Amino acid sequence: MNISYPVSRCFVLPLLAVSATLAQAATPATGITPVDIRGMWFPKSEAGAAKCENYLSKLPVEPDPEALVVSERQMIRWAAAGQNTMHFVTDVAPRRANTWRVQALVDAPPYELPKVLQTYVFELRQDELHWSSRRVEDPSGDQVDTAVFARCGY
């Protein structure tokens, strides 16, 4: 005798669909910077504020040195004479509210050298972006460098 259970299928399939939707909503897309940190940033200082005003008054041109531009999959730390440091984002993972662990391949001058995978922590505090990383001279130690940026423009 073949017995089918159409009633159970009515409950299981919608439940699976809801579970999949909730899992996707809770899982951030990897390799994509959070929308909240995208944009133009300058060091949080009087000099940084002046550079932001200067940049906004002469659009469209390249940003002044020390600017940080965060886009969907890339971050550029602008420097003098075209010696910019490029960060190609490979993974983003939330740590807590407004805090993310970001991994990126770093391409710095001279650009012929292999890219290095680095891990950073970004924390957004209102319109301040805190960028923390292990000290270059001691990557396995507990010493952390943190740069604080203020949003420029939008």
Side-chain angles (χ1 to χ4, degrees):
M1 175 178 231
N2 188 0
I3 300 175
S4 66
Y5 298 97
V7 174
S8 64
R9 200 176 296 159
C10 292
F11 292 108
V12 173
L13 292 178
L15 185 58
L16 290 174
V18 169
S19 299
T21 303
L22 291 175
Q24 287 174 346
T27 305
T30 58
I32 298 176
T33 60
V35 173
D36 294 340
I37 68 171
R38 293 182 197 164
M40 173 75 66
W41 301 85
F42 280 95
K44 185 174 170 73
S45 64
E46 287 184 29
K51 287 181 178 186
C52 175
E53 286 182 37
N54 184 44
Y55 172 77
L56 292 174
S57 70
K58 61 182 185 180
L59 284 174
V61 295
E62 292 181 351
D64 289 335
E66 299 184 53
L68 172 65
V69 178
V70 180
S71 62
E72 186 176 286
R73 295 186 183 269
Q74 174 176 313
M75 300 178 294
I76 302 172
R77 188 80 185 265
W78 288 85
Q83 298 295 302
N84 307 323
T85 301
M86 311 287 286
H87 302 265
F88 300 98
V89 178
T90 60
D91 188 51
V92 176
R95 294 187 69 186
R96 59 183 173 272
N98 298 320
T99 304
W100 302 268
R101 181 190 54 79
V102 176
Q103 285 188 319
L105 288 169
V106 180
D107 195 9
Y111 299 113
E112 301 85 37
L113 297 176
K115 293 172 184 58
V116 177
L117 185 64
Q118 295 285 335
T119 301
Y120 306 103
V121 174
F122 285 87
E123 182 176 5
L124 187 61
R125 298 180 193 164
Q126 296 173 358
D127 259 2
E128 290 181 8
L129 182 64
H130 296 248
W131 178 355
S132 300
S133 61
R134 297 248 183 252
R135 288 232 170 119
V136 174
E137 53 282 352
D138 185 21
S140 62
D142 292 334
Q143 297 289 336
V144 174
D145 287 325
T146 299
V148 181
F149 295 89
R151 189 180 296 278
C152 180
Y154 53 95

